[in-house]
Amino acid sequence: MARILVQDAAFDLAAETAAVTAGRVDVGGVASFLGVCRGDDGLAALVLEHYPGMTERAISRIAEQAEARWPLTACTIIHRTGRILPGEPIVLVLTASSHRAAALESCAFLIDWLKTGAPFWKREEFASGDHRWVAAKAEDDEAAARWTGAA
Amino acid sequence: MARILVQDAAFDLAAETAAVTAGRVDVGGVASFLGVCRGDDGLAALVLEHYPGMTERAISRIAEQAEARWPLTACTIIHRTGRILPGEPIVLVLTASSHRAAALESCAFLIDWLKTGAPFWKREEFASGDHRWVAAKAEDDEAAARWTGAA
Amino acid sequence: MRVLYFAWLRQKVGIAEEEVAPPAEVRDVAGLIRWLAARSSGHAAAFADPRQVRAAVNQDFATPDQPVAANDEVAFFPPVTGG
Amino acid sequence: MRVLYFAWLRQKVGIAEEEVAPPAEVRDVAGLIRWLAARSSGHAAAFADPRQVRAAVNQDFATPDQPVAANDEVAFFPPVTGG
C-alpha cells in the first residue's frame, strides 16, 4: 500500500526512509529520488498547482502499477505544491524491496511517470518580476514511454 | 570530486543528502540507494571485511568513471564494514545532478559496480551459531556488465 | 456540469470553475470545448490552441471524443509539468 | 614480497599476511599460487580451487599471467561480495 502525500509543507527524507525499514528485516534496498528546485536563469521561485482529488488518484494508480510490476515492500511518493524556492525539494519518490534492482527500477519508473502522468503545473517566477508557465518536455514523454516498451 | 568513506560506523542519510544540495541551486535531482542487511533464514549478523587501501582506491575509480560518464554535481559512497545487524544499513550511494536521468542512472551504475568491483567480503552469522561466507552472484556480474554494453 | 480550469487556462478564462448547462448537442469533450470557447473572449483565448489543452472527465484523463453528461466534472489544463 | 589473504582464504591459510621470498622461477600470479600452495596444508586448502581465487598486485585486480616481483604487495581473496 503506497504512502502518497500532496502537500505544501516540506517533508523529512530521513523520517520517510526510516519508516520503510523500521521493525522489519526483509528490506534489502531503499532507492530514492529527490527532485529539487533549480535556480536557473534568475528563477526566484516555482509555484506548483495541482488538481485536488485527481492528482492523488493519478499518483495512486501509478504507484499501483509499480507495486504490480515490482515486488516492493514500500512505496512513498510526496509531491509538494505552492511556492518553492531554489534549492528546496519538490518531490520525493522512495521505494523499498528485498532486491536492489526492484527498488532502483521502480523508483526511476515512478519519477518518469510523475513527470507526465500526474496533474501538476509549474509556474516560474523570476527576480525580474516576469513569470511563465513551464512547458511540458518531449523528453519527459519519451522517458515515461520507455517503461511501456519491451523490458 | 567524490566523497568516499569505508567505515564501521553508521552514517546519516539526511546529513549526506543535505550536504549535496546545501548552498547551491544547480542541483535538480538527488538519487540514492541504501543497501540494508536482510534477516533471511535466521541471519543474526553480517560481518563485512575489506582490503584497506585497495577498497578505497577501487571505489574512487568507479566514482571517477561515473563522474566522467554523467554530469554529476555530487557523488557520495559510504560502505560500512564490521558487524552489521539485520535492518541496519550497509551501503549508501548518493548522486546529484542538474538532470534527473543522470542522477538515477549513475546511482544504479555505482551500486551495480560496487557489488562486483570493490573488495568487500560478507560473512553471514546465523542464530544457530553457523556461519558462512557469501558467494558472489552471477546476477551481480550481469548487472555490472550491462553498463559496458551499448547505452 | 461543473467545469474546472487549471494553470494558464484558469488565468485566461479568468475563473477557476463554473457551473454550465450546455445544450444537448454538446456530447463530448471536443464539443464542450467549442461551446465553451464561445462564452467569452477569455474562454476563446484559453481554447485558442487545442493542441495545448488537455482534459479530464470525472478526474480521469480524457480524449476529445470522450462523452460528457450533465452531472460530470470536466477539467481543462495544459500538459502536466510535475515531478 | 608481501602476501595478504582475505575472507575464507585468510581463514584457510591461518594468517592474514606473510613476507615471502619465492625463487626466481616464480614470475607471475599463477606461479606464485603454485609456490604458495606447497607451503602448508592450510595454503594448499586455500588454493585448492583456483576458480574461486582472485588476486590483486599492488592493490589492482590482477589476472593469473600478471608478473610479480620482490617488492610487490600481492593479495588473494574470493570473488567480492560487497554492496
Side-chain angles (χ1 to χ4, degrees), chain B residues 51-84:
Chain B
Y51 182 171
M54 181 176 171
T55 304
E56 293 82 352
R57 281 179 60 184
I59 299 176
S60 293
R61 281 184 199 164
I62 294 168
E64 281 166 19
Q65 287 180 36
E67 290 178 321
R69 185 160 174 176
W70 290 279
L72 303 182
T73 56
C75 174
T76 299
I77 299 171
I78 307 177
H79 204 303
R80 292 178 65 195
T81 49
R83 190 178 170 84
I84 295 172

Side-chain angles (χ1 to χ4, degrees), chain B residues 94-112:
Chain B
L94 194 150
T95 53
S97 176
S98 297
H99 304 287
R100 84 175 179 287
L104 288 163
E105 289 171 18
S106 59
C107 181
F109 165 87
L110 285 164
I111 187 66
D112 283 349

Side-chain angles (χ1 to χ4, degrees), chain B residues 48-54 57-58 61 79 90-91 111 114-123 131 133-137, chain D residues 2 4-11 52 54-62 73-83:
Chain B
L48 272 120
E49 186 173 323
H50 77 301
Y51 182 171
M54 181 176 171
R57 281 179 60 184
R61 281 184 199 164
H79 204 303
I90 302 170
V91 59
I111 187 66
L114 274 180
K115 291 254 169 197
T116 59
F120 290 99
W121 301 277
K122 286 194 187 107
R123 191 168 59 123
H131 58 82
W133 290 94
V134 175
K137 290 182 195 155
Chain D
R2 188 175 175 219
L4 311 182
Y5 304 100
F6 292 96
W8 54 256
L9 276 99
R10 173 176 42 74
Q11 293 188 312
Q52 294 303 313
R54 300 290 180 273
V57 175
N58 298 324
Q59 305 194 353
D60 282 322
F61 287 108
E73 174 179 299
V74 184
F76 294 101
F77 42 77
V80 306
T81 55

Side-chain angles (χ1 to χ4, degrees), chain A residues 49 51 61 79 120-121 133, chain C residues 7 10-11 60 73 78 81 83:
Chain A
E49 187 173 324
Y51 182 171
R61 281 186 200 163
H79 204 303
F120 290 99
W121 301 277
W133 291 94
Chain C
R10 174 176 42 74
Q11 293 187 313
D60 282 323
E73 174 178 300
T81 56

